[in-house]
Amino acid sequence: MADLIIPEGYGSATMTWTNADLPSPVTVTCGFKNNVAFSPPEVVAEAIFGYWVDLAAPCHADQMMIGWTFDSVYVLQDRGDGLESATYASPVAGSQVIAGNPQQPAYSPLVVSKTTSS
């Protein structure tokens, strides 16, 4: 397995959701450039979480369907002294009612994987 390499001034953020009908959490990971004075990971994680839950943002309670909860943001970054990490968690439960089956949170990607014998 290859080593994880994150260049100085960059990082990865993993957002986590849970759903009452799913057995395990749903995660999305993306990269970012830390260009705000190389902020500590705690500050970055809270800022990214705040972006997702701000008024009219994809994970504001009014934008997510009932059953979904936006749980946390985990940040792994390099400010020049090696990798450092932090998690910001302040779960936000969806309050939107949609007829039919529960939907994924608004504007979030959905990845499906299937393994077959062939």
Side-chain angles (χ1 to χ4, degrees):
M1 185 178 288
D3 292 333
L4 175 64
I5 298 173
I6 296 178
E8 182 178 337
Y10 290 84
S12 69
T14 301
M15 286 65 68
T16 302
W17 292 264
T18 52
N19 181 283
D21 296 327
L22 298 177
S24 58
V26 175
T27 62
V28 174
T29 301
C30 61
F32 65 88
K33 182 175 182 182
N34 187 350
N35 55 2
V36 184
F38 283 178
S39 298
E42 298 82 7
V43 172
V44 174
E46 185 174 359
I48 292 171
F49 191 94
Y51 166 80
W52 280 91
V53 300
D54 196 15
L55 187 61
C59 293
H60 187 274
D62 293 343
Q63 301 294 324
M64 284 192 303
M65 278 46 96
I66 290 175
W68 282 97
T69 301
F70 181 53
D71 291 307
S72 63
V73 173
Y74 169 76
V75 166
L76 181 63
Q77 68 179 23
D78 186 341
R79 292 191 299 160
D81 294 327
L83 294 177
E84 51 189 13
S85 65
T87 299
Y88 183 82
S90 182
V92 174
S95 63
Q96 189 62 251
V97 177
I98 299 278
N101 294 330
Q103 306 288 317
Q104 71 269 16
Y107 308 112
S108 66
L110 180 64
V111 178
V112 176
S113 174
K114 181 177 180 183
T115 304
T116 65
S117 60
S118 58

